[in-house]
Amino acid sequence: MAAARAGARARVVILGSGWAGTKVARSLRKDLFDVRVVSPSTSFLFTPLLPSAAVGTLEFRAIQEPVRTIAEESYQAKAVATDFERRVVTCRDLFRDDFEFELPYDWLVVATGCKTETFGIVDDTRRDVCFLKHLSHARKIRNRVVECFERASNLAHHHHEDAAAASSSSSSSSSLSLSRGGHD
């Protein structure tokens, strides 16, 4: 712990901004630790409320918290290598694939989460399956629900117009036949 021995705050690098990474980052005393978060995401997502956001009960912004509010510095990047002897994490910038940087640490917290396992039931090529694990999944569901309501509304509107047109044509034809019948 070079930084801690030199009198500076110990640097804690946290890989991941999910439940575990966010809990650790919030729990550490900022007067004792220099907290840095590396994550592809810029925010912590309160996943239990994703269904409420998907159906519109809550706005998307209400279920996420920016990482910058829980750490001194955050990097929108992915960790690609760790040198435990040098105590350095090599990170790749999320938007510039050719840009890598090293981040020294005194303490390393690996809280990268996990990938959803479907046990072969669903493969990655299926676009009609939504796991509701990320904000993009909730947005996809909400957009699809809105689309279905719009289609139903359009169908009902067209059905109403067709029924009105049929009704007016049948009433006008019956009035024509009545008026013809009266003059013969």
Side-chain angles (χ1 to χ4, degrees):
M1 287 194 231
R5 278 189 239 115
R9 293 179 301 155
R11 176 172 289 174
V12 178
V13 172
I14 301 171
L15 305 179
S17 61
W19 287 95
T22 299
K23 177 67 175 172
V24 171
R26 282 187 182 143
S27 299
L28 292 173
R29 289 181 44 186
K30 305 307 186 263
D31 60 330
L32 299 177
F33 298 100
D34 173 14
V35 180
R36 312 289 174 107
V37 175
V38 177
S39 176
S41 177
T42 59
S43 61
F44 164 70
L45 182 63
F46 194 74
T47 50
L49 293 178
L50 272 173
S52 296
V55 298
T57 306
L58 291 173
E59 287 300 319
F60 295 117
R61 67 179 178 269
I63 65 169
Q64 57 185 343
E65 179 181 359
V67 172
R68 68 180 177 277
T69 65
I70 59 173
E72 263 180 76
E73 280 193 42
S74 61
Y75 306 89
Q76 197 168 4
K78 288 185 176 185
V80 293
T82 305
D83 185 335
F84 294 105
E85 286 189 23
R86 290 181 44 228
R87 300 180 89 105
V88 171
V89 176
T90 303
C91 302
R92 182 173 295 131
D93 187 274
L94 197 64
F95 300 105
R96 291 180 37 211
D97 205 35
D98 61 334
F99 180 68
E100 290 187 355
F101 59 95
E102 289 187 340
L103 197 55
Y105 64 86
D106 295 306
W107 295 93
L108 178 64
V109 177
V110 179
T112 54
C114 61
K115 187 161 177 67
T116 303
E117 176 58 63
T118 63
F119 304 101
I121 297 170
V122 177
D123 62 19
D124 290 340
T125 61
R126 299 258 326 251
R127 302 211 192 292
D128 57 338
V129 175
C130 204
F131 293 105
L132 203 52
K133 187 175 177 178
H134 301 286
L135 207 53
S136 61
H137 298 154
R139 280 194 174 106
K140 181 180 176 182
I141 291 170
R142 183 187 286 188
N143 289 341
R144 182 69 176 127
V145 167
V146 169
E147 179 186 335
C148 288
F149 278 125
E150 289 295 327
R151 284 183 176 189
S153 174
N154 287 339
L155 286 174
H157 179 71
H158 293 305
H159 178 71
H160 178 68
E161 286 178 349
D162 293 345
S167 172
S168 75
S169 80
S170 68
S171 63
S172 65
S173 66
S174 59
S175 65
L176 282 176
S177 63
L178 287 176
S179 62
R180 275 193 213 148
H183 292 298
D184 281 345

